[in-house]
Structure formats: C-alpha cells, structure tokens
Amino acid sequence: MQKQPFLVPEGYFESFADRLHQRIQEEDSSRVPVRRIGTTTRWLAMAAAVLAAALITTSIIRLSSSKSEGFYPDMAILEQMQVLDDDRFLYELLEAETVEMDDEEAFASQAIEYLAINDVEMDLIFE
Amino acid sequence: MPEWDDRDIIEGFRVQGREELAFNQLVAKYQERLYWHVRKIVIDHDDADDVLQNTMVKVWRSLADFRSESGLYTWLYRIATNEALSFLKQKKKKAFAPWVDVESQMSESLEADPWFNGDEIQLKLQQAILKLPEKQRIVFNMKYFDQLKYEDMSEILGTSVGALKASYHHAVKKIESMLDED
C-alpha cells in the first residue's frame, strides 16, 4: 500500500470500535419494536407481494414490447429491477462516466476493453 | 489475540452469543483499510469517520444475510464505496451554493487541512485526483494507493476488468497532463 498523505487524530482507530458500539446501542434503543405477525397474516402478505410482483412484471413487459417490435421485455429494465437499492450509487457512477467521456476516450476505452478481454497484458502497455 | 480469518468471522456471527465477538474481529481487521479507502473519496476526516460508522452499522445489520460466495473483503469495500458516494451526493444537495463544485471545495480545503501532511507534490497529486470524474478517481485510488487487484475491483465496483483498466489508464494520463501543466 502506498503511503497515505493524510493523518488521523491520535487514538482514532483505538477508540473507533467503542464509539461504533455506542452508536449501535443508541440506534437500537430508539427503534420502534417490530410487531410480530401471525402465520395467516404472513401468508396473506406473501401472496400480496407475489401478486404485486407479477403485476409489475406484466406491466413492464407490456411497456417494453409496445416500444419495440418484438415480444421480449427490455432487458435493461429487468436488470435494473434486480439491482439492489444499496448499489444504486455504483450504477449511477458507471452511467455518469459514459456520459462524461468524449469520442476519443470512448474509443480508447473500447479498444482497451477489447485487448483486456483477449488477455493482452495491459500492465505492459501502460508502463 | 491472533486475527480471525474471514470464514471464522462469518461463521462466528451466525452463532448465537458470538455475534459481537465476531463483529469486533471484523472491525479490528478492516477498519483501517476501509477508513483510508473512504478518506480518499470524501477527503475530510470527520466526513470519513461518519461514512465509516455508517458502513459498519450497515455491516452489523446485514452480516447475518451475507452470501459467502463473494469475498467478505470485497463486500465490505462495496458497502463502504456506496456509503461514500451516497455521502458525497447528499453533501452536493446540501451545498449552500449549488453552483459551487464540491470537489473544488474539497481540493481547496486540503491546503488548510490539519490532517493532511503531504508535501507539495502530494498536495498537487491529490488536487489533480479530485479533478477526475468520480469513477476514474475511485479506480485510481484503489489501484494506485490501495494496490487492489483488477479482479477484486471488478467485484467491488460491478464493472469489467477491461473497463477498469481503461478508467485507470485515462486517469493516469489526465493526472500526468495536469501535473505537467503546473
């Protein structure tokens, strides 16, 4: 690992775990307790969720098939649905970079990606 | 006490009564690496501390559901990267003057930052890195400073090795040209 040009206050890492536990305890104590639900209610909720998922999927398939000639759904939309909410910033990051690239950069990226896929040792090229 | 390996941490967390012990091991093992990764994205120490805490709280709440197929280390990096990006996005939204670039502010604040101890060249390097597009900045930091493998970076960032090499290549070229201008 390269030398970091940043500093931390003295004892920061030594005290981090204690501060973290304190925060978790505080958050836990201020949380509203989760109400336990009965088996019947749970089954009803699961059935409702399955129905909602089926309706959403059908709507997307209809929507995408109305845009394109074929019957197949737009894979990009389906893929996006599978992306965890937690990863949305990474996906935004990847999309943003494509927009920021000019033609020359985009061409270079494609060329480098092609070489990488074909197992050309990239580190030798970059040196 | 010897450092636990990742499998012991994950299995330990699944045993009732050992969750806290396993989590403490995880924090002790990864806090510094994750901190430096986050710090290079958000620059300010207090911001990095907030992001690291958010990351660890998220890990505590979701470690039980962690799928062992992906490495613990790359999973943690992924959460930390997302938290750092989310933090920057919120910071941009809350900016008093929305036309002022947050990265430029971070770059300017480096010069007066008591927790930055780099020499003039390191300062210029950090300021050049802050001018890169966000993805190139993260890729450059992970490769140059953290010396991560492209394969691990690919798993963390969810992008191909080829695209990462391209990003790193562009970042290096841009930094070289920015440093040559000075």
Side-chain angles (χ1 to χ4, degrees), chain A residues 72-90:
Chain A
Y72 299 102
D74 186 343
M75 291 310 289
I77 296 176
L78 289 180
E79 274 172 17
Q80 209 158 357
M81 283 180 68
Q82 289 162 1
V83 172
L84 288 173
D85 187 45
D86 276 355
D87 285 340
R88 66 191 183 281
F89 297 105
L90 286 177

Side-chain angles (χ1 to χ4, degrees), chain A residues 1-10 12-29 31 83-98 100-102 104-117 119-123 125-127, chain B residues 20 23-24 27 31-33 35-36 39-40 43 45 48-50 52-54 56-58 60-61 67 77-78 81-83 85-86 89 110 113-119 122 126 133-136 138 143-147 150 156-163 165-170 173-174:
Chain A
M1 196 180 269
Q2 291 276 351
K3 186 179 174 286
Q4 307 285 348
F6 300 102
L7 295 170
V8 291
E10 211 179 316
Y12 170 71
F13 289 118
E14 290 76 13
S15 65
F16 179 79
D18 288 341
R19 288 187 300 113
L20 178 66
H21 283 295
Q22 198 180 337
R23 177 173 156 182
I24 291 172
Q25 278 173 2
E26 281 168 11
E27 280 187 14
D28 284 348
S29 61
R31 275 184 160 191
V83 172
L84 288 173
D85 187 45
D86 276 355
D87 285 340
R88 66 191 183 281
F89 297 105
L90 286 177
Y91 279 83
E92 282 176 19
L93 187 73
L94 299 178
E95 281 168 15
E97 197 205 33
T98 323
E100 280 163 6
M101 276 189 190
D102 57 29
E104 196 184 328
E105 274 190 345
F107 176 75
S109 290
Q110 282 168 4
I112 292 166
E113 198 162 352
Y114 174 80
L115 293 171
I117 288 164
D119 287 336
V120 176
E121 190 44 72
M122 301 300 292
D123 291 339
I125 296 171
F126 292 154
E127 272 171 6
Chain B
E20 207 164 309
F23 183 64
N24 286 343
V27 173
Q31 62 173 358
E32 281 203 44
R33 268 184 271 184
Y35 172 84
W36 293 120
R39 176 78 183 266
K40 289 191 293 291
I43 301 296
H45 164 72
D49 180 46
D50 281 347
L52 185 62
Q53 281 196 35
N54 295 344
M56 289 302 192
V57 169
K58 212 160 225 183
W60 166 254
R61 303 214 187 283
R67 287 172 294 128
Y77 252 83
R78 194 176 174 97
T81 309
N82 260 310
E83 286 300 316
L85 291 172
S86 157
K89 194 155 196 170
L110 262 181
D113 188 346
W115 304 114
F116 180 80
N117 79 329
D119 55 24
Q122 284 169 323
Q126 284 301 321
E134 222 162 35
K135 185 190 170 192
Q136 287 178 17
I138 289 170
K143 188 71 201 158
Y144 181 77
F145 286 105
D146 301 345
Q147 294 175 350
Y150 280 117
I156 294 162
L157 298 173
T159 187
S160 71
V161 167
K165 286 178 176 178
S167 283
Y168 184 66
H169 174 73
H170 291 312
K173 291 289 161 206
K174 282 181 190 172

